[in-house]
């Protein structure tokens, strides 16, 4: 059942829902594209090499939220002072997660799903190694996931990978729904968004 669910039911739902969302959200997508283009120099979209199913690489699509001069292929949380690179509209897009909307096209293409472990950067070897322990590199990455609604940027890599592994173990239609709807409260509350740091949950502990 899990394999049938992943390959047939889940993929069918992803295909249908991503197509519907793109159609319904096309006015918003256009407005956000214009805002990004008109408020800072550079392209509307940001493309970056990420790790997909079975560690196959693909290009993720996002609204550009940074200036065009930050270091290449470096996660924002690893920059010494990320705020200096984030554009004004970019700060809002990142806080609201609207910068992720173009990933609807990645879902339509089958490179991503609505729910799954967030796709790692190609050079996040520590995270990929941890995920291998749980088989979390062998499911389609998602727009949101169990780790996303349980800490996001605040999670240390071993904790994040363990949550991704829990998602793999519990993978089902019911659990995907739980992750999907849990995302709304997480995004609306701005939970777990940390610019300039990751794994911050224990940083304030003695």
């Amino acid at each position: 059942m899990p394999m049938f669910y992943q390959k047939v039911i889940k993929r069918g739902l992803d295909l249908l829902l991503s197509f519907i969302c793109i159609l319904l959200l096309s006015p918003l997508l256009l407005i956000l594209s214009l805002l990004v283009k008109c408020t800072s120099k550079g392209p509307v979209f940001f493309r970056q090499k990420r790790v997909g199913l079975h560690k196959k690489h693909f290009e993720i699509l996002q609204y550009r939220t940074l200036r065009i001069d930050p270091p290449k292929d470096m996660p924002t949380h690893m920059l010494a002072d990320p705020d200096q690179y984030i554009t004004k509209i970019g700060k809002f897009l990142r806080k609201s997660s609207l910068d992720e909307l173009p990933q609807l096209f990645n879902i339509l293409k089958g490179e991503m799903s609505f729910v799954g472990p967030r796709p790692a950067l190609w050079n996040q070897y520590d995270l990929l190694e941890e995920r291998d322990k749980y088989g979390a590199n062998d499911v389609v990455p998602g727009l949101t996931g169990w780790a996303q609604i349980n800490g996001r940027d605040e999670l240390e890599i071993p904790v994040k990978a363990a949550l991704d592994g829990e998602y793999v173990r519990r993978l089902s239609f019911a659990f995907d729904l739980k992750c999907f709807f849990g995302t709304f409260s997480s995004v609306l509350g701005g939970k777990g968004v940390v610019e300039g740091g990751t794994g911050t949950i224990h940083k304030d502990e003695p």
Side-chain angles (χ1 to χ4, degrees), residues 14 56 65 120 143 159 188 197:
D14 282 338
K56 181 180 177 181
T65 60
L143 183 65
V159 178
L188 290 174

Side-chain angles (χ1 to χ4, degrees), residues 2 4 11-12 30 36 43 48 68 101 103 113 125 132 141 159 167 169 180 187 201:
F4 178 78
R11 176 55 191 149
L30 178 59
V36 172
Q48 190 176 57
I68 58 176
L101 280 181
Q103 287 162 42
S113 174
Y125 305 115
D132 271 336
V159 178
Y167 171 77
R169 292 194 308 273
F180 183 79
V187 169
I201 283 179

Side-chain angles (χ1 to χ4, degrees), residues 46-49 70-76 78 121-123:
F46 172 70
R47 301 172 187 270
Q48 190 176 57
K49 186 163 67 172
K72 185 177 175 62
D73 285 332
M74 182 177 288
T76 310
M78 293 183 67
L121 274 167
W122 66 273
N123 56 1

Side-chain angles (χ1 to χ4, degrees), residues 181-195:
F181 288 111
T183 301
F184 292 100
S185 60
S186 179
V187 169
L188 290 174
K191 296 177 183 176
V193 180
V194 179
E195 302 296 0

Side-chain angles (χ1 to χ4, degrees), residues 122-184:
W122 66 273
N123 56 1
Q124 285 183 291
Y125 305 115
D126 48 355
L127 176 57
L128 293 170
E129 185 177 350
E130 283 293 317
R131 282 178 170 176
D132 271 336
K133 298 176 182 178
Y134 304 101
N137 291 315
D138 296 319
V139 295
V140 179
L143 183 65
T144 187
W146 188 232
Q148 284 296 101
I149 65 174
N150 283 283
R152 295 177 72 175
D153 301 329
E154 292 182 349
L155 297 174
E156 295 166 348
I157 283 173
V159 178
K160 183 181 291 186
L163 285 168
D164 290 333
E166 183 181 352
Y167 171 77
V168 173
R169 292 194 308 273
R170 299 176 64 183
L171 205 161
S172 64
F173 179 66
F175 196 58
D176 275 350
L177 282 180
K178 182 173 183 176
C179 294
F180 183 79
F181 288 111
T183 301
F184 292 100

